[in-house]
Amino acid sequence: MLTEQEILNIANSEIKRIENDSKIETVLINELIIKKPYGNIFFYTSKKYYETRNEKYAVAGNAPFLVEKETGNIVVFGTAHTEDYYIEEYEAGRWPNNRGLD
């Protein structure tokens, strides 16, 4: 089982990977982290949007992701529904293998 710090380190590594792919500086939104017994769910946005709240710096497609406490695996949720939907689907064992629905 991973510690909170190890989970956070994995999340920060994922953010760096996203930055490298998108070429947009991003930040985790610490006040939105959802802690569950099976892991933590993280949200992120562009650093400029987080600092300014100016819509021109908002990013699309920044789906929340779960870092599993047991394995350290990253499970990316979608953006078509609320985070509650994805949490319920994950907890029911239907996400990420949910017949192509997102």
Side-chain angles (χ1 to χ4, degrees):
M1 181 163 319
L2 299 173
T3 66
E4 288 291 318
Q5 187 59 53
E6 289 169 324
I7 291 171
L8 183 58
N9 290 345
I10 292 168
N12 282 321
S13 293
E14 178 66 1
I15 290 300
K16 291 297 178 198
R17 185 195 65 74
I18 291 167
E19 281 184 353
N20 289 337
D21 289 350
S22 68
K23 308 297 185 240
I24 298 170
E25 190 174 11
T26 57
V27 294
L28 288 175
I29 306 171
N30 292 323
E31 59 270 20
L32 295 182
I33 295 171
I34 299 172
K35 295 185 179 190
K36 295 289 191 175
Y38 48 80
N40 294 351
I41 301 162
F42 295 90
F43 298 81
Y44 67 95
T45 191
S46 76
K47 184 175 181 182
K48 281 199 166 200
Y49 177 76
Y50 186 75
E51 291 173 344
T52 67
R53 301 294 192 240
N54 187 325
E55 291 293 323
K56 75 178 182 179
Y57 300 119
V59 293
N62 52 331
F65 62 91
L66 164 69
V67 178
E68 294 177 320
K69 192 175 283 190
E70 289 292 324
T71 64
N73 288 338
I74 294 170
V75 178
V76 179
F77 293 156
T79 59
H81 303 283
T82 66
E83 64 267 9
D84 289 336
Y85 167 85
Y86 295 104
I87 292 168
E88 288 173 16
E89 291 297 295
Y90 178 84
E91 290 176 351
R94 295 186 296 260
W95 189 268
N97 185 17
N98 67 348
R99 303 168 312 284
L101 302 175
D102 56 6

